[in-house]
Amino acid sequence: MTRVGACWLAMVMGLILALTGCERAPERPTSTPPKTTITFLHYFTDSLSGGIDDMARSFNNSNTQYELKAVSLDHEAFKTSIQESLKSDQPPDLYAYWAGARTASLVADLEPLDDVWQKARLDQVFAPSLVRAASSYQGHKYLLPLTQHYVAFFYNKKVFAQHGLKPPGNWAEFLAVCATLKAHGVVPIALGAKDKWPAQFWFDLLLLRTAPYEFREQLMAGQVSYNHPKVKAVFAQWASLMEQGYFNDKPNTQAWDSGANEMVYQGRAAMTLMGTWNIGYFGNAAHQWVAGQDYDFFPFPVVSPDIPVVALGPIDGLVLPKKALNREGAKQAMVYLAGIEAQQAISHGSGALAPSILVPRAFYSDIQQRVLMAIEQSPQFAFNYDLSTPPAVAELGLAAFSEFLAFPKAYPEILVKLGHDASARFQSLNTKP
């Protein structure tokens, strides 16, 4: 175990032991037996925390035997710690995790959920296409879906109206909108890439709008190189936007929320490319923006008309460690959290769509219903970059995107290095026993 890994593991286990210790030592005797704790480690923190406590509270109010104790860990720290804490003798009973390549990388340390699926008849709760994409790995179910997000442009309606602008549908219209905004002293596009992952959506959607979905799948699997002309064309197009001054200065120094989102909220920038967690952000108590009135969204514009539009975003879910001490309690919690009440609770707070098909369309706000329609109209739904390729390769890609934002003209050299390093990383992964 690395020194960094040991530090994160100690932190995680300290948080969990503190919570369970508090829970199991009531101040006075009571006629009601104390509940048994289910420890739940998740990454829904700060601006991404909407709905998670409501979901846990919903379970706790309905269950007399178990208490779901949600422990939060910083988004980036979570990625590091889970690799080590899963292998410990006392991991949390439940983890939140991202569907796709990240869950696939951990299945050796996870408990299959096939019995949960059968007991709760979850094939009647989640659509078959979603189960195939998010829940099934190596012939078993490993992840129970909690949220489905969608990446799009979120824009300040007042700024657009002031300059007589409408949401663009194609690339020519998008460039015209950017040119108009810049001419009037407004930053067209706010990007906060301090944590690296927000930049990936630009790579993802430029690629998905200019190359077939199948090509991206091959790139994510290491079957084609980052030196491929289609990838170079994406970076050339992205670099052109930067060279024309359509992004804010130094995006690598800005956070996605307190940086880019606040620029849009304050009217200093017109739009930002981000996930539907922005619905929860702009609608929270600190901002109180009304969707459709103060802000709205539009899908990433069509670039190549002959390329079918692909929807993009993450699906968050729950996974169960093989070494979980309270496996039965964790499974009972999973069954409840697949239910309508719990799925609605996290959807309402986070802005996400509920993966459950039993949640009625009428539950959603107008903007969420329009997001759902955009997803339904897309022939494919793709996970974002760092959930589509193995984590070890994703680290290389996110670092390359960050370097590109600092030196956009150097993209040919950046891609040569990324192509070489990614190929070596894939080869290493494929030769592991």
Side-chain angles (χ1 to χ4, degrees):
M1 183 184 297
T2 64
R3 181 176 296 179
V4 173
C7 290
W8 284 125
L9 179 58
M11 179 188 298
V12 172
M13 298 313 299
L15 285 169
I16 292 169
L17 290 173
L19 280 173
T20 55
C22 291
E23 175 61 27
R24 292 167 183 168
E27 292 183 1
R28 63 174 68 90
T30 176
S31 57
T32 304
K35 293 184 179 182
T36 302
T37 297
I38 304 166
T39 52
F40 170 39
L41 186 65
H42 67 85
Y43 45 77
F44 301 103
T45 59
D46 302 323
S47 298
L48 296 171
S49 62
I52 192 70
D53 291 335
D54 295 328
M55 184 192 72
R57 192 178 303 114
S58 174
F59 172 80
N60 292 333
N61 289 341
S62 69
N63 195 288
T64 59
Q65 183 179 3
Y66 295 110
E67 181 84 4
L68 185 64
K69 286 290 187 180
V71 183
S72 63
L73 191 62
D74 173 75
H75 188 274
E76 296 305 310
F78 188 98
K79 294 178 183 177
T80 303
S81 70
I82 191 171
Q83 303 286 343
E84 305 291 353
S85 63
L86 257 182
K87 299 180 185 299
S88 70
D89 291 332
Q90 290 185 311
D93 299 314
L94 281 176
Y95 287 93
Y97 213 48
W98 298 277
R102 290 196 177 269
T103 293
S105 71
L106 298 180
V107 293
D109 296 308
L110 300 179
E111 180 79 7
L113 305 178
D114 300 330
D115 56 339
V116 175
W117 228 262
Q118 185 174 5
K119 178 181 178 181
R121 299 180 179 179
L122 295 184
D123 281 329
Q124 299 176 24
V125 175
F126 303 115
S129 58
L130 185 139
V131 172
R132 286 194 300 271
S135 300
S136 298
Y137 305 84
Q138 300 180 11
H140 297 281
K141 310 293 194 305
Y142 282 99
L143 180 136
L144 186 141
L146 281 183
T147 67
Q148 181 174 17
H149 282 287
Y150 173 73
V151 176
F153 280 102
F154 289 83
Y155 69 100
N156 185 316
K157 289 201 71 174
K158 183 178 179 180
V159 170
F160 265 54
Q162 284 176 338
H163 302 292
L165 299 173
K166 295 181 180 180
N170 60 49
W171 197 244
E173 293 172 354
F174 178 75
L175 294 178
V177 165
C178 289
T180 299
L181 289 165
K182 185 187 176 188
H184 287 87
V186 178
V187 175
I189 306 161
L191 173 57
K194 185 176 181 180
D195 291 326
K196 294 185 179 178
W197 60 264
Q200 69 184 313
F201 303 138
W202 279 95
F203 172 73
D204 277 330
L205 285 163
L206 281 171
L207 182 61
L208 286 168
R209 293 295 187 268
T210 56
Y213 172 80
E214 293 75 17
F215 175 82
R216 182 180 184 270
E217 291 291 283
Q218 292 171 344
L219 181 67
M220 297 299 96
Q223 296 168 359
V224 295
S225 172
Y226 284 90
N227 289 317
H228 194 284
K230 291 184 185 297
V231 180
K232 291 181 180 178
V234 164
F235 277 83
Q237 202 159 22
W238 194 1
S240 176
L241 293 176
M242 296 191 69
E243 290 163 8
Q244 293 178 75
Y246 291 161
F247 286 92
N248 52 295
D249 292 335
K250 299 180 179 179
N252 283 335
T253 66
Q254 298 291 323
W256 69 271
D257 48 1
S258 61
N261 273 2
E262 287 303 305
M263 290 181 68
V264 175
Y265 178 71
Q266 296 164 11
R268 294 187 291 121
M271 54 188 160
T272 186
L273 184 64
M274 191 48 62
T276 41
W277 47 89
N278 264 12
I279 296 173
Y281 181 88
F282 285 134
N284 66 20
H287 299 93
Q288 299 184 32
W289 255 11
V290 177
Q293 177 180 312
D294 300 304
Y295 78 99
D296 216 323
F297 87 99
F298 61 89
F300 198 94
V302 171
V303 180
S304 300
D306 57 329
I307 299 295
V309 171
V310 175
L312 179 83
I315 291 177
D316 301 281
L318 298 171
V319 294
L320 176 62
K322 276 185 177 178
K323 295 183 178 181
L325 298 181
N326 189 0
R327 255 185 290 184
E328 290 308 309
K331 289 181 178 181
Q332 191 174 131
M334 284 181 145
V335 171
Y336 180 86
L337 298 178
I340 294 176
E341 183 177 349
Q343 296 252 324
Q344 287 181 338
I346 194 168
S347 170
H348 179 75
S350 68
L353 298 176
S356 171
I357 59 177
L358 302 183
V359 172
R361 188 179 289 261
F363 162 76
Y364 295 119
S365 65
D366 173 71
I367 190 171
Q368 286 176 309
Q369 290 191 36
R370 288 184 284 120
V371 166
L372 179 58
M373 189 180 303
I375 292 175
E376 290 174 341
Q377 291 173 348
S378 301
Q380 299 282 356
F381 184 89
F383 295 142
N384 39 274
Y385 176 79
D386 66 349
L387 308 183
S388 293
T389 199
V393 179
E395 291 176 6
L396 299 174
L398 294 181
F401 303 157
S402 181
E403 185 178 4
F404 165 78
L405 292 177
F407 308 102
K409 292 183 179 180
Y411 76 84
E413 293 80 11
I414 293 172
L415 286 179
V416 168
K417 184 176 187 302
L418 177 58
H420 176 272
D421 293 347
S423 178
R425 193 66 58 88
F426 272 116
Q427 186 174 359
S428 173
L429 292 171
N430 292 334
T431 56
K432 282 186 177 180

